[in-house]
Amino acid sequence: MEQAVAKTPEREAFYRKIDGENLAALWNVMSELITPQPRSACRAHLWAFDAIRAYMTEAGKLITAKEAERRVLVLENPGLRGQSKITTSLYGGIQLVLPGEVAPAHRHSQSALRFVLEGKGAFTAVDGERTTMEPGDFVITPSMTWHDHGNESAEPMYWLDGLDVPLVQMLDASFSEGLAQDQQRVTRPEGDSFARYGHNLLPIDLNRSSRTSPVFNYPYSHTREALERAKRHDEWDPCHGLKLRYTNPVTGESAMPTMGTFIQLLPKGLKTSRYRSTDATVFAPIEGRGRSVIGDQTFAWRARDIFVVPSWHWVTHEADDEAVLFSFSDRPVQQKLDLFREDRGNA
Ligand SMILES: [Fe+2]
């Protein structure tokens, strides 16, 4: 499939003739379409949070969250510039909400995840319920649910946004609308979803059609406790250290249908074995510092930096201090479509 078909004057004339009819010869493009392994324009890259924070502070003086609708700096993969993509299928951005600001209510087909990086006390409202956010919290806004953000605290709040924008774009399935009011009406007390769905219990007659988890804030205090207790076994996966996936308690599947989300702990000094998978993955360390080797590039990271491992690139991680990393990818989509593949090297 790799071999290019020879050019002849007769063939070239033929291609020109059919071109006018919106036809093309497969034999000229097949090797680009069906590659022996993933061949992505997506590149490994790291964004240092300190630099982003400085630019966001500047952006905070240029435009309000209300005027911008969402004051976000898009993390554009260097191999996919101008497309608002952090990987081929996913979007990533850093959002800032300043004290007293509101990011107005809207809804859209695209599902969004928030992973809180810095600040404490801002809220996200989803479907009539508010949740106050803290660093390390993983918050979901499911497809077509009304959501707005506000910051009634005294400090700026930064979080990572992950959305399935490119995926929805590819499928031409985007709908969106705004609400007449900036903020949706709060109809349920804070913590209601977590009380009903977040304790290995479910309402007895639950009949839920959405594939997205009804738990819309997975608080870091709980996530961290899970890691802290599990690490006592001192049993480490050679490729991942200690890695857990966030799940939808109703189905046991990923918390969101289009994006898989994960949390992992790397003990100090652990150097993982090489690993690769077909789901390009965005990592957001929230504690500690370390290094990741992606292909032949080394990236030093610390808490709040963001880095990308493209599809089918070998990666190893090494933690200088005990580190906790959040990550997300399109893995559930690939698994549903029988496309997901992983390779644990020799581990
Ligand atoms: Fe949104």
Short mmCIF file of all heavy atoms in Angstrom, two decimals, residues 70 106 108 112 114 141 147 163, ligand 1:
data_model
loop_
_atom_site.label_atom_id
_atom_site.label_comp_id
_atom_site.label_asym_id
_atom_site.label_seq_id
_atom_site.Cartn_x
_atom_site.Cartn_y
_atom_site.Cartn_z
N ARG A 70 -17.24 32.88 27.04
CA ARG A 70 -16.30 32.06 27.81
C ARG A 70 -14.92 32.64 27.58
O ARG A 70 -14.45 32.69 26.44
CB ARG A 70 -16.31 30.60 27.34
CG ARG A 70 -17.62 29.86 27.56
CD ARG A 70 -17.94 29.66 29.03
NE ARG A 70 -19.17 28.88 29.26
CZ ARG A 70 -20.38 29.41 29.43
NH1 ARG A 70 -20.56 30.71 29.38
NH2 ARG A 70 -21.43 28.62 29.67
N HIS A 106 -25.65 28.69 28.65
CA HIS A 106 -25.92 28.22 27.29
C HIS A 106 -25.93 26.70 27.30
O HIS A 106 -25.64 26.08 28.33
CB HIS A 106 -24.91 28.81 26.28
CG HIS A 106 -23.49 28.33 26.44
ND1 HIS A 106 -22.41 28.97 25.88
CD2 HIS A 106 -22.96 27.26 27.08
CE1 HIS A 106 -21.30 28.32 26.15
NE2 HIS A 106 -21.59 27.28 26.88
N HIS A 108 -25.25 23.12 24.48
CA HIS A 108 -24.79 22.68 23.16
C HIS A 108 -24.63 21.17 23.12
O HIS A 108 -24.59 20.50 24.16
CB HIS A 108 -23.47 23.38 22.78
CG HIS A 108 -22.51 23.56 23.92
ND1 HIS A 108 -21.83 22.51 24.46
CD2 HIS A 108 -22.13 24.66 24.61
CE1 HIS A 108 -21.04 22.96 25.44
NE2 HIS A 108 -21.21 24.27 25.56
N ALA A 112 -18.78 18.63 27.79
CA ALA A 112 -17.59 19.30 28.33
C ALA A 112 -17.19 18.72 29.66
O ALA A 112 -18.04 18.33 30.46
CB ALA A 112 -17.85 20.80 28.47
N ARG A 114 -14.59 19.75 32.99
CA ARG A 114 -13.74 20.76 33.63
C ARG A 114 -12.83 20.01 34.58
O ARG A 114 -13.29 19.12 35.31
CB ARG A 114 -14.53 21.77 34.46
CG ARG A 114 -15.93 22.04 33.98
CD ARG A 114 -15.95 22.95 32.81
NE ARG A 114 -17.28 23.02 32.21
CZ ARG A 114 -17.48 23.49 31.00
NH1 ARG A 114 -16.49 23.92 30.26
NH2 ARG A 114 -18.69 23.52 30.49
N THR A 141 -20.32 18.78 32.17
CA THR A 141 -21.56 19.34 31.64
C THR A 141 -21.95 18.48 30.44
O THR A 141 -21.35 18.54 29.38
CB THR A 141 -21.44 20.83 31.24
OG1 THR A 141 -20.45 21.00 30.26
CG2 THR A 141 -21.06 21.68 32.42
N HIS A 147 -25.73 25.20 31.16
CA HIS A 147 -24.65 25.39 32.14
C HIS A 147 -24.16 26.83 32.14
O HIS A 147 -24.12 27.47 31.09
CB HIS A 147 -23.49 24.41 31.89
CG HIS A 147 -22.93 24.45 30.50
ND1 HIS A 147 -23.55 23.85 29.44
CD2 HIS A 147 -21.81 25.02 30.00
CE1 HIS A 147 -22.84 24.04 28.34
NE2 HIS A 147 -21.76 24.76 28.65
N LEU A 163 -13.40 19.27 25.59
CA LEU A 163 -14.66 19.05 24.87
C LEU A 163 -14.45 18.16 23.66
O LEU A 163 -13.34 18.07 23.12
CB LEU A 163 -15.28 20.38 24.40
CG LEU A 163 -15.97 21.25 25.46
CD1 LEU A 163 -14.96 22.19 26.10
CD2 LEU A 163 -17.12 22.03 24.89
FE FE B 1 -20.44 25.56 27.18
#
